[in-house]
Amino acid sequence: MTSDFLPFALPDIGEEEIAAVVEALRSGWVTTGPKARQFEADFAAFLGGGVEAIAVNSATAGLHLGLEALGVGPGDEVITTTHTFTATAEVIRYLGADPVFVDVDASTLCIDVAAVESAITPRTKAIIPVHYAGRAADMQRLLALARKHGLRVMEDAAHALPTTCGGQLVGTLASDVTVFSFYANKTMTTGEGGMLVTRDAGIARRARVMRLHGINRDAFDRFTAKVPSWYYEIVAPGFKYNMTDIAAAMGIEQLKKVRAFADRRTQVAAWYDEALAGLPIVRPPHAAPGDVHSWHLYVVQLADGAGVGRDQFIERLFAQGIGCSVHYIPLHLQPYWRDTYGLTPEMFPVSQRIYERTLSLPMYSRMAQGDVARVAAAIEEALR
Ligand SMILES: *Cc1c(COP(=O)(O)O)cnc(C)c1O
């Protein structure tokens, strides 16, 4: 990496986060405690709509806890999209259930609701849509379909803070569980971390217990409540998914900035849209009218007649100091998923076609208009 390399993603961490983490370290309470509790309260208040927020050490952990709380187990099927990160599907296998992969809608790059309907069997228990790149999936139709068939819905909202759908923030829709990610390159970060959100008190209770070893109260409670501090009960073989106060301290400060981050990402997307107009580049789908796109990713496709293959195009951009990525190598091409479930590209023509021509351009809140101009100039050069 040269010093003037423009990376694909960068976290936006200020002095506020640094001071908050230092304060957490000095407080003497570094694991789950008052900061984690405050972060949960702040996050629930940010979303509104009477949701409960449960902080975990990754979105993957949250997705696992969510499905576990929904009662997914061996013999069940869970329908999800092939055009996602493997975490969305691996949690289904953690519980001994089987993912059923479906294609995406070319106009949103999110799960194709008609394909979901065709994939429902008597074994289907739940659906996991992904708000790809930060653009909401068609949740109105998906939730109606789930209701009609008595299926549970868990949203993988790793990209979707602060995305809206039908004017409502993702996290406050009528699904059973929504899970956000605070991984390093997401729209806000705690280094590693995630948040499970639900309005269902039973799911929330189960997720809190399973988050920490199946203990009926967390460690902070034990040292502050009136019952003897040494007493606890194990009610299930739980996991170790709690968020540290160090991470939560960072999350509290990042959350305060998340609207400003989103405004900046929206501006960067608008600069890209303008700079790429007229080039053989298919620009990304926008949110539905009136809705917010979080712009976690700015995903383009090479148009027919671009005259260069995707892999070579990325190499040419890299040679000019521009970092890019690909979201995603679809799961139907990944050896484990392909071989375990007998998946072929022909089963997912939309995802496959997008994969062959897609790349994600640098996108983060610290980007300036000059950075976008530089990427656009590099793209013109790479197309030559
Ligand atoms: C990042 C991501 C995850 C996993 O998030 P972690 O916090 O890293 O566990 C899950 N699903 C999607 C779509 C993601 O992009």
Side-chain angles (χ1 to χ4, degrees):
M1 252 201 228
T2 63
S3 61
D4 69 346
F5 186 84
L6 188 72
F8 159 71
L10 265 186
D12 198 338
I13 294 162
E15 292 305 320
E16 299 82 358
E17 286 84 345
I18 293 166
V21 167
V22 169
E23 189 202 314
L25 293 174
R26 290 196 202 284
S27 76
W29 198 287
V30 290
T31 185
T32 307
K35 298 284 185 200
R37 193 155 290 187
Q38 189 193 328
F39 184 33
E40 292 179 340
D42 290 356
F43 201 85
F46 176 86
L47 292 179
V51 299
E52 279 193 71
I54 296 157
V56 286
N57 57 14
S58 72
T60 307
L63 292 166
H64 185 194
L65 290 176
L67 278 193
E68 200 276 339
L70 291 175
V72 169
D76 292 334
E77 291 175 350
V78 179
I79 300 172
T80 192
T81 162
T82 187
H83 213 79
T84 187
F85 185 57
T86 193
T88 315
E90 74 193 27
V91 296
I92 302 166
R93 295 294 303 130
Y94 289 1
L95 293 158
D98 293 307
V100 174
F101 296 104
V102 300
D103 209 347
V104 289
D105 180 327
S107 68
T108 64
L109 313 183
C110 295
I111 199 164
D112 180 335
V113 180
V116 171
E117 183 153 32
S118 305
I120 294 171
T121 76
R123 289 172 59 197
T124 308
K125 180 100 179 190
I127 307 168
I128 311 179
V130 177
H131 303 297
Y132 178 83
R135 194 242 185 252
D138 186 351
M139 292 304 295
Q140 280 91 344
R141 276 177 64 215
L142 196 75
L143 287 165
L145 182 69
R147 256 193 306 274
K148 184 173 139 199
H149 292 272
L151 304 175
R152 317 304 295 266
V153 176
M154 177 172 76
E155 297 168 68
D156 179 338
H159 302 179
L161 188 71
T163 294
T164 68
C165 182
Q168 279 180 278
L169 276 170
V170 165
T172 67
L173 309 180
S175 55
D176 297 287
V177 179
T178 303
V179 180
F180 296 91
S181 174
F182 311 129
Y183 180 67
N185 70 4
K186 299 290 162 54
T187 56
M188 63 166 272
T189 184
T190 60
E192 300 279 358
M195 194 71 82
L196 183 158
V197 170
T198 183
R199 262 202 212 89
D200 183 313
I203 292 172
R205 205 175 311 118
R206 179 69 179 179
R208 284 188 203 284
V209 166
M210 295 306 281
R211 168 176 65 173
L212 195 67
H213 301 300
I215 294 177
N216 65 345
R217 331 186 57 175
D218 72 26
F220 182 62
D221 271 338
R222 280 199 283 132
F223 292 100
T224 56
K226 287 196 190 70
V227 294
S229 64
W230 50 267
Y231 187 77
Y232 61 87
E233 290 181 349
I234 301 299
V235 297
F239 310 107
K240 185 71 198 291
Y241 284 166
N242 54 305
M243 176 181 276
T244 69
D245 263 25
I246 302 169
M250 198 171 157
I252 289 165
E253 298 305 321
Q254 286 270 290
L255 184 63
K256 292 177 189 166
K257 304 177 180 179
V258 81
R259 291 267 178 217
F261 289 164
D263 289 348
R264 184 61 174 199
R265 286 174 179 273
T266 301
Q267 176 66 74
V268 172
W271 285 331
Y272 268 131
D273 281 351
E274 196 185 332
L276 302 178
L279 296 177
I281 297 284
V282 180
R283 291 168 292 174
H286 276 230
D291 269 323
V292 175
H293 190 312
S294 74
W295 293 110
H296 164 52
L297 300 172
Y298 190 88
V299 179
V300 299
Q301 295 169 53
L302 286 170
D304 292 332
V308 56
R310 187 270 315 277
D311 298 1
Q312 195 183 11
F313 188 69
I314 290 179
E315 267 175 44
R316 287 180 185 176
L317 291 178
F318 189 81
Q320 296 177 80
I322 308 295
C324 293
S325 192
V326 172
H327 296 88
Y328 289 93
I329 305 167
L331 298 184
H332 66 259
L333 296 178
Q334 295 292 0
Y336 172 75
W337 299 115
R338 179 192 66 206
D339 299 344
T340 304
Y341 292 99
L343 310 176
T344 66
E346 293 71 33
M347 297 162 78
F348 309 94
V350 179
S351 171
Q352 182 66 27
R353 183 186 150 83
I354 292 166
Y355 166 63
E356 287 166 5
R357 49 191 66 214
T358 194
L359 67 153
S360 303
L361 300 180
M363 168 56 91
Y364 43 97
S365 51
R366 285 161 64 186
M367 281 180 76
Q369 190 165 13
D371 295 326
V372 173
R374 186 178 152 199
V375 176
I379 286 174
E380 286 192 57
E381 178 66 28
L383 289 167
R384 214 163 274 147

